Amino acid sequence: MLTLLCHRTAPDARDVRTHFYRVEISYNLFGEYTVIREWGRVGTRGHHVSVWFANLREAVLVADRSARRAGTRGYDLIEKQFATAA
């Protein structure tokens, strides 16, 4: 449904490690909304956490809060995708 992808590059020129942070809201087979957060270094599997919600409003609030928190930690939004039902 919604995917936000953010990247962060270290300010030190010697340290070229780039990190990613991804927040996704999806609908699962049990009629719940899932907020999936993934983070880590680019090129690695990273870490992930999934949280389920009964309604879309709560899922959007948590996803938005997570994306704003990533922005305060130096991540820049580079991709935003909305999926529509066919």
Side-chain angles (χ1 to χ4, degrees):
M1 292 183 79
L2 169 68
T3 302
L4 302 171
L5 180 62
C6 304
H7 275 183
R8 180 182 72 188
T9 304
D12 186 359
R14 292 178 293 122
D15 190 8
V16 294
R17 294 179 296 173
T18 302
H19 294 77
F20 71 93
Y21 189 86
R22 186 173 79 91
V23 179
E24 179 178 330
I25 300 174
S26 61
Y27 190 71
N28 66 24
L29 296 173
F30 303 109
E32 301 169 324
Y33 293 92
T34 306
V35 174
I36 302 168
R37 296 183 302 129
E38 296 179 321
W39 66 93
R41 283 180 156 175
V42 171
T44 66
R45 292 181 60 188
H47 305 282
H48 73 275
V49 172
S50 299
V51 182
W52 297 272
F53 296 92
N55 62 49
L56 181 59
R57 184 175 192 274
E58 291 178 12
V60 169
L61 289 174
V62 169
D64 185 52
R65 188 178 323 129
S66 297
R68 279 188 281 128
R69 188 178 310 131
T72 62
R73 293 179 177 167
Y75 287 87
D76 297 317
L77 181 67
I78 61 167
E79 187 175 332
K80 189 176 200 177
Q81 293 180 346
F82 293 97
T84 58

